Amino acid sequence: MYNSNVPSNDPGEKTRLPTIDDYRDYVGDDAVERIRKKADSLRGMHVTNINSTYYGGGVASLLSSLTLLMNQVGLKTGWRVIQGTPDFFSVTKKMHNALQGGSINLTERKKRIYEGVVRENAVRNHLTHDTVIVHDPQPLPMIEHYNKTVPWLWRCHVDLTDPDPDLWAYMEPFIEQYDAVIVSREDYKQKLQTPQLVFEPAIDPFSILNKEMTEEEILDRLDKYNIPSDKPLLVQVSRFDKWKDPEGVIEAFKLAREEVDATLVLLGNVATDDPGGRAVYESLLDEESERIKILSVEDTALVNALQNRAAVVLQKSKREGFGLTVSEAMWKGTPVIGGNVGGIRNQVVHGENGFLVESIEETAKYIVELVNDEGKRVEMGKRARETVRERFLLTRYLEEYLDLLLNLEIRVVVRGHNN
Ligand code: UDP
């Protein structure tokens, strides 16, 4: 039905990529066969994803793995990243914050910068695909600049519990042009004419971020950054962003340390579309000490090693679209203490596979409880891994996209053309 021209994936190659068959042990033969069958009906379909950063943050993590797996099952799936000026990313970061419960002074100047840069990107991107998937607010108005003859989907990854009403009113006419909106939780749905679907994100168990590491590899990674492994490790891995509440993590750690001995590591990166990150990182540096490590390094294997080695992973967010770091840690059998917000609540079942918290004091209390009780950590960690195996592996997410694409009854005859 569609042209198929996917690069080969010879298992003998050094650069071999994960295939759908690699998932058999985790999700079972039936799931793999079901997915393969659905994908076969869409073989050769040309899909593109558009977002605003190639690195840093969950959207880039997800796209990196999902686009490869979609190609592997036969859909020609691409990924384009829009370019923007610092002004543009400063405006879009304010929009991101306002969607997550902050506010924005939405001036004509900001709208001009936002829509202007998106227009420039539309001129540069010639989209002749069978489906276009646009991620998050940054490239949202792209749709205005094309003769829309194929399905366009808007995939919004942010916590939409309480978006700024003025900003939402401004975005709505763009959103309504899409054929469907995908959000990460049922309660993120808004009043819209456009159909809305809920897809929870998922992790790639074969990526550098999540694949098995030996004890030696883990310790080597920690040594490289002088991270002591003599005491229990408490870890939060997050972009440096106020919604991730790094100050709250440090406060909770200090409280907990009155009762238990441990080391805290805050590891973060700064996404290319997140201009505020550097300042948040620098504001934390005064807190560094022998037992509080604050690292801003780009090292995916270090993330894996820390999530593996940690006694407890913290994700004390105040807002969280989903929080891939939570599933990543849980997959490694590490219990998570997470903020009782957004997508963290999809993953952590309080008292079962981790704890959900609403204050610094509660966070400290559960740190102490888990550090003191290895048996409990192991039990919770086992349940945490099983939760991810059942619900948060990439095959489930892939299948949701396949179902949607099949339902859209896409025709390849008429394609969109750039204006
Ligand atoms: N991440 C990373 N290095 C860092 C910090 C984060 O590789 O120093 C990764 C992290 O492992 C996860 C993603 O970036 O895969 C963050 O996604 P999440 O959904 O947790 O949060 P977001 O940044 O999208 O708000």
Side-chain angles (χ1 to χ4, degrees):
M1 159 179 177
Y2 300 99
N3 288 330
S4 176
N5 185 16
V6 182
S8 74
N9 188 23
D10 176 350
E13 286 175 22
K14 241 195 208 156
T15 55
R16 179 185 178 279
L17 300 171
T19 71
I20 190 80
D21 287 310
D22 294 327
Y23 283 84
R24 283 182 192 276
D25 286 350
Y26 297 140
V27 301
D29 293 338
D30 288 353
V32 169
E33 293 312 329
R34 196 177 60 234
I35 291 170
R36 202 190 276 293
K37 207 164 152 214
K38 289 177 183 176
D40 277 347
S41 325
L42 297 165
R43 181 163 290 277
M45 176 188 278
H46 198 190
V47 179
T48 194
N49 291 272
I50 306 176
N51 84 319
S52 61
T53 180
Y54 66 95
Y55 179 78
V59 182
S61 255
L62 259 177
L63 281 175
S64 164
S65 293
L66 183 67
T67 51
L68 294 175
L69 195 59
M70 281 177 84
N71 277 287
Q72 207 283 317
V73 295
L75 283 79
K76 293 190 288 182
T77 309
W79 172 15
R80 300 190 182 199
V81 178
I82 61 165
Q83 285 84 46
T85 54
D87 268 1
F88 172 77
F89 287 123
S90 156
V91 172
T92 56
K93 178 69 187 185
K94 288 187 178 109
M95 292 171 81
H96 172 92
N97 287 342
L99 282 180
Q100 297 217 130
S103 60
I104 183 170
N105 176 16
L106 198 57
T107 58
E108 286 308 313
R109 181 181 165 274
K110 289 195 182 87
K111 292 180 192 170
R112 206 166 46 242
I113 292 171
Y114 174 56
E115 292 178 41
V117 168
V118 169
R119 191 198 166 93
E120 289 169 11
N121 278 275
V123 168
R124 279 194 293 262
N125 276 282
H126 310 107
L127 304 180
T128 54
H129 300 76
D130 304 312
T131 301
V132 180
I133 309 172
V134 172
H135 297 259
D136 279 346
Q138 298 91 337
L140 172 71
M142 290 278 284
I143 193 166
E144 289 227 300
H145 303 288
Y146 297 85
N147 289 326
K148 202 183 95 29
T149 51
V150 296
W152 280 61
L153 312 173
W154 188 51
R155 174 51 174 120
C156 183
H157 297 264
V158 302
D159 183 337
L160 286 180
T161 316
D162 184 23
D164 177 83
D166 290 344
L167 175 60
W168 191 259
Y170 166 65
M171 287 171 54
E172 210 171 303
F174 299 122
I175 299 169
E176 293 284 13
Q177 295 175 51
Y178 285 80
D179 295 281
V181 170
I182 305 165
V183 293
S184 298
R185 272 177 65 87
E186 201 58 42
D187 60 2
Y188 293 170
K189 286 185 177 170
Q190 304 294 313
K191 279 205 187 89
L192 285 174
Q193 300 294 322
T194 314
Q196 295 174 77
L197 297 120
V198 179
F199 292 1
E200 295 173 300
I203 63 159
D204 172 356
F206 306 108
S207 61
I208 295 174
L209 194 56
N210 294 313
K211 69 178 189 188
E212 306 281 328
M213 291 179 87
T214 63
E215 180 77 3
E216 198 188 342
E217 286 169 335
I218 292 170
L219 292 177
D220 272 2
R221 255 318 100 177
L222 300 187
D223 266 3
K224 185 168 174 216
Y225 297 96
N226 299 319
I227 297 168
S229 49
D230 55 336
K231 306 224 160 97
L233 275 184
L234 305 174
V235 170
Q236 177 158 304
V237 177
S238 282
R239 281 182 300 108
F240 288 108
D241 180 311
K242 65 170 184 171
W243 301 110
K244 310 285 185 182
D245 196 19
E247 296 92 349
V249 171
I250 293 170
E251 286 314 307
F253 175 72
K254 286 181 180 165
L255 257 184
R257 265 205 96 202
E258 291 171 10
E259 295 182 49
V260 290
D261 217 0
T263 304
L264 173 68
V265 180
L266 287 182
L267 169 64
N269 59 5
V270 177
T272 56
D273 62 351
D274 183 356
R278 178 91 355 227
V280 174
Y281 166 66
E282 281 166 7
S283 74
L284 299 170
L285 290 178
D286 281 350
E287 297 288 355
E288 274 210 291
S289 67
E290 198 201 337
R291 290 290 158 195
I292 302 183
K293 301 278 170 203
I294 300 171
L295 295 171
S296 174
V297 293
E298 311 288 1
D299 187 336
T300 312
L302 176 63
V303 176
N304 190 338
L306 282 169
Q307 289 169 336
N308 249 296
R309 181 70 186 192
V312 179
V313 159
L314 300 154
Q315 192 55 61
K316 209 200 143 307
S317 307
K318 292 180 167 170
R319 297 277 187 211
E320 192 62 74
F322 181 72
L324 283 172
T325 49
V326 173
S327 272
E328 289 162 8
M330 289 168 67
W331 179 243
K332 288 149 198 148
T334 306
V336 175
I337 300 177
N340 188 14
V341 292
I344 298 176
R345 290 184 285 164
N346 299 36
Q347 303 167 78
V348 174
V349 182
H350 186 71
E352 286 287 312
N353 58 14
F355 291 108
L356 293 169
V357 292
E358 301 198 356
S359 68
I360 287 169
E361 292 70 25
E362 255 188 300
T363 311
K365 176 181 127 191
Y366 290 121
I367 291 175
V368 172
E369 188 172 323
L370 284 173
V371 168
N372 280 335
D373 190 343
E374 195 188 345
K376 187 165 213 162
R377 290 204 304 269
V378 171
E379 266 312 299
M380 281 192 153
K382 273 193 197 146
R383 287 195 286 263
R385 180 165 168 107
E386 190 51 18
T387 305
V388 177
R389 193 192 64 73
E390 281 176 3
R391 295 181 42 209
F392 300 114
L393 292 183
L394 202 58
T395 35
R396 193 260 308 141
Y397 195 48
L398 167 67
E399 192 171 2
E400 285 170 333
Y401 267 113
L402 296 178
D403 287 339
L404 173 59
L405 295 174
L406 284 166
N407 279 336
L408 286 168
E409 291 177 333
I410 291 147
R411 294 177 304 275
V412 280
V413 208
V414 193
R415 293 166 192 263
H417 294 286
N418 218 342
N419 279 336

